[in-house]
Amino acid sequence: MARKVFVSYKYSDSLVQDLGIYQDSFFGKIKIATTARHYVDEISEHLTGDDHIYKGENDDESMENLADSSISSKLGDKIFDSSVTVVLISKGMKESFTSEKDQWIPWEVSYSLKKQTRLGRSSSTNGVIAVVLPDENGSYEYYITRDSECNCRSLNTPILFQIIRDNMFNVKEPDRRVCNGSWVYSGDSSYIQSVKWSDFIANPTKYIDKAIELRDKKDDFNIVKTIK
């Protein structure tokens, strides 16, 4: 089934793996620095190929120079008309010296999780997926590592925005065990699940459908919808 998908990301983050992108110039083709925006272009193409509908901004409609109120209205319209939000996790997604309340990704996630009413129409909570981009070295280990002793993967959630962290490992009745003094979770333990870029882009529909499945079971989770 086709889904409307919104993508939340840090536009200018260049701490991502190089995609080998070139553009035409007066001097011929020149290589340009890859940013998170280029990964959004890849997602848009794959969603179209799978008959899903991309609801984010297009590359030729950057909102950088718009007033915050205009951006809020435009993005709010797009999120309202979507059922799944893909959040791109990247190494430089957070601005260290700016409050999370003043950064766009937390706002977009919060809006995605809340029930909204516009012009007499209501939207429900979106399914949300955290898609982890490889860093400039092609590695995911800044966020995902493998713990062979506990036979599990470990997520470096402190690097995330608080509202994303709060919606991970938040199932009301967890299936978990202790290993080396830490909890190891099994099953659908998080409302926002994390997936590597390479896995997601190989089969976006699989993960979009999973987000919808979790959305339909949202009462099983303690969902946090506000930015702290």
Side-chain angles (χ1 to χ4, degrees), residues 29-49:
K29 287 189 177 294
I30 59 171
K31 189 174 183 181
I32 60 175
T34 299
T35 67
R37 170 70 234 186
H38 296 109
Y39 283 85
V40 178
D41 294 338
E42 291 280 318
I43 290 176
S44 177
E45 290 180 13
H46 279 75
L47 292 179
T48 301

Side-chain angles (χ1 to χ4, degrees), residues 38 62 69 74 78 96-97 108 139-141 160 175 177 204 208:
H38 296 109
S62 171
S69 58
K74 284 178 176 290
K78 292 175 183 291
S96 301
F97 301 104
E108 290 165 348
S139 173
Y140 297 96
E141 291 192 357
L160 304 176
D175 177 6
R177 58 186 170 88
I208 289 169

Side-chain angles (χ1 to χ4, degrees), residues 177-191:
R177 58 186 170 88
V178 175
C179 181
N180 291 336
S182 298
W183 288 115
V184 176
Y185 291 79
S186 299
D188 294 328
S189 58
S190 300
Y191 185 75

Side-chain angles (χ1 to χ4, degrees), residues 157-176:
T157 57
I159 73 167
L160 304 176
F161 290 105
Q162 183 70 46
I163 193 169
I164 301 176
R165 295 201 304 269
D166 287 343
N167 288 290
M168 292 181 172
F169 306 106
N170 62 330
V171 68
K172 292 177 180 177
E173 297 182 6
D175 177 6
R176 61 187 182 180

Side-chain angles (χ1 to χ4, degrees), residues 122-141:
S122 294
S123 68
S124 61
T125 297
N126 273 20
V128 183
I129 317 164
V131 175
V132 186
L133 301 185
D135 68 12
E136 67 272 34
N137 299 311
S139 173
Y140 297 96
E141 291 192 357

